[in-house]
Amino acid sequence: MNFDDDSLDPPSRTANRFDFDDLNDNEVKPPPESFWDLDDTSTELDPITCPPLPTHTQNVGGDIASQKRKQLEDAEAQEAAIAKLRLQAEKVAHNNLGAKYVTNLQKQIAAKTKERDAHDESRLNEIIGDYCNSLLKNKSDDQANSLHEVQAIIRKISNGELVSLNLPSLNAKRQLLQCAVSSSDGVVITRVALYIWNTLNERLAVELLQSQPISISHLINYFKTREQHNHLLHVLEKFDKRMDYTMELLKCAFSLKDIVAQINALEDIRQKCLSKLLVIDSMDLEMVIDQILLLKKQLIVERDDLQQVNAAVPKNQVLKKFPPTTNLFGQSLSQTIFYLAFYHFSENDSDSVSLDKWRSQFKVSEKMHLWNVLKARAKLSAWQDIEIILTQKAILGFGSPRLKCAIGFGNVARILKNVNAPAEYVKRYILLIPSVEERLDWANRLPCALALVHIHISKKDRQGLLSLRPSLKQGSKELYDLNNALDSSSSIKWKN
């Protein structure tokens, strides 16, 4: 069954339904009787021609306006064909025509609609694919050009030439950093890392530099060697170097010249470490606490000693005779012990200057304590104090006291020799060394001629004494003891 095409013009795109009042009953004839005997599978309808589906492919880089215009024309043609089918179905239904015919018209409408949708999706995928391929090609070309430019920049920096770094894209800066790290040149890596840190926002700079950890080390070292503490602290915080951040805060605190400000800064760090706001090793935290206590006690000692020096009649005669030339505040624990042993050796009853209390409070080792106390007393030529320090009391009152030294009697002799102590005192402690070979070695190393004479006498080495005699001064104590030993040959059984 065919309808007159002139009477079935497609409605406009804004119309929702065909106006049946415009049709006349005479314009539509009922279908023949044989129409109702057709099977569903054999029903054939007069084909309604639709515009062909476009098969052309357009270049993504072509005229976009022409492409969109062509797509609109194709879409309008599809809509017109579907509208024409719907119009036929509504007209047949209006004239009470056969149900089979209406069903077949509806099937044609569904098929055309599905075909249109499939074509639209296929065409869209085709356009997207072409566009992506074009982008990939352009990106590959850009990357190749950018890589050549980056390599040229790296060569110029490595050769010491002046280079103006002005790379617009993030990808180019990433390539620049990769090439810099590959060059294994510290100057190049530092220059590029600084460029990235100064030109990108912090989030992108941190993300990019973290991809090459060695660049972070060079950036940190740059600020550290130039003592730019504010920049260094900021970099350490952004890259989550929490332990290094705490150590740098401590370094900044110790560099403060003001006494009170330094103590307050260390107290603030200690509080933050205890509150877990800063990361620090437990041993380092103990050292910070001890350092704060040391500074506070040094401040007290220095204040009291300054009052003693300025007093009309000072109680401490050592302070009056040898007034301090440097500040005690900020000195190390070892230097503080030396200071206390020099000026306050006998003041064990005072809480602020007692050597025993300082040693107990700061857990000073016996060697460290002994070394500094002996140097301080030797500098004052307090030879008897040295012997008192080295004398070990008899256990439970039994036996006689004996000398004992944790640092070795050879080191005691060296301390005395360094302050030009009398040879008799140097000899005394050399001869307390247990091994004869060590005694001879220390006597030659210092040197101490008097100790050499007595060592050869104890060894009953007459030839050793004879070889030593030409090097001794006339009228010296050494020559006197040597000649006296040789003259007493009857009482000494020489081995040679």
Side-chain angles (χ1 to χ4, degrees), residues 359-375:
R359 180 180 176 183
S360 174
Q361 193 167 21
F362 291 98
K363 300 177 182 179
V364 180
S365 65
E366 183 180 1
K367 290 183 178 181
M368 178 180 175
H369 175 80
L370 190 59
W371 190 275
N372 288 283
V373 172
L374 290 176
K375 286 195 299 181

Side-chain angles (χ1 to χ4, degrees), residues 213-416:
I214 191 174
S215 63
I216 302 175
S217 301
H218 282 272
L219 186 64
I220 292 173
N221 187 65
Y222 174 83
F223 292 123
K224 186 179 295 184
T225 53
R226 284 157 181 78
E227 296 185 353
Q228 298 179 5
H229 299 292
N230 292 334
H231 292 290
L232 179 58
L233 288 172
H234 184 63
V235 170
L236 292 173
E237 182 180 9
K238 289 301 177 182
F239 288 102
D240 199 26
K241 304 286 186 179
R242 305 176 68 185
M243 185 72 73
D244 294 334
Y245 181 81
T246 305
M247 293 295 106
E248 187 61 26
L249 281 179
L250 288 172
K251 184 177 179 180
C252 293
F254 285 127
S255 65
L256 296 175
K257 301 300 181 183
D258 185 79
I259 298 175
V260 178
Q262 184 176 146
I263 294 176
N264 291 338
L266 290 173
E267 285 281 9
D268 182 62
I269 294 173
R270 182 182 70 88
Q271 290 293 339
K272 290 181 178 179
C273 291
L274 293 175
S275 303
K276 305 300 182 182
L277 297 177
L278 293 175
V279 176
I280 192 172
D281 186 75
S282 58
M283 185 176 295
D284 292 334
L285 180 58
E286 291 181 4
M287 293 176 63
V288 171
I289 296 173
D290 289 343
Q291 182 65 23
I292 295 172
L293 180 60
L294 175 63
L295 294 175
K296 290 181 177 180
K297 291 179 72 67
Q298 286 176 343
L299 192 61
I300 296 172
V301 173
E302 188 172 21
R303 182 193 59 198
D304 294 343
D305 288 353
L306 184 61
Q307 293 176 355
Q308 288 276 346
V309 171
N310 296 330
V313 183
K315 297 180 181 179
N316 193 321
Q317 296 301 318
V318 180
L319 283 170
K320 180 181 179 180
K321 188 176 181 180
F322 305 102
T325 57
T326 58
N327 293 329
L328 176 62
F329 184 83
Q331 300 295 329
S332 66
L333 178 60
S334 177
Q335 293 169 326
T336 304
I337 293 174
F338 176 89
Y339 180 93
L340 295 175
F342 190 88
Y343 290 107
H344 305 282
F345 177 73
S346 59
E347 300 178 30
N348 288 328
D349 296 334
S350 175
D351 292 336
S352 59
V353 296
S354 173
L355 281 170
D356 293 336
K357 291 181 180 179
W358 274 71
R359 180 180 176 183
S360 174
Q361 193 167 21
F362 291 98
K363 300 177 182 179
V364 180
S365 65
E366 183 180 1
K367 290 183 178 181
M368 178 180 175
H369 175 80
L370 190 59
W371 190 275
N372 288 283
V373 172
L374 290 176
K375 286 195 299 181
R377 302 319 295 170
K379 192 170 183 178
L380 286 172
S381 301
W383 317 124
Q384 296 301 322
D385 290 345
I386 293 176
E387 186 166 350
I388 293 172
I389 294 169
L390 298 178
T391 301
Q392 186 180 30
K393 295 180 180 180
I395 301 175
L396 299 178
F398 296 100
S400 59
R402 61 189 183 91
L403 296 178
K404 182 181 179 182
C405 184
I407 63 174
F409 290 108
N411 286 318
V412 176
R414 180 167 62 180
I415 291 172
L416 297 176

Side-chain angles (χ1 to χ4, degrees), residues 201-208:
N201 64 61
E202 287 186 353
R203 183 184 63 81
L204 290 177
V206 169
E207 180 181 350
L208 185 55

Side-chain angles (χ1 to χ4, degrees), residues 53-71:
L53 298 176
T55 57
H56 62 279
T57 57
Q58 298 184 13
N59 191 350
V60 175
D63 189 357
I64 299 177
S66 176
Q67 179 181 350
K68 290 184 176 180
R69 186 167 54 252
K70 182 62 178 175
Q71 292 176 355

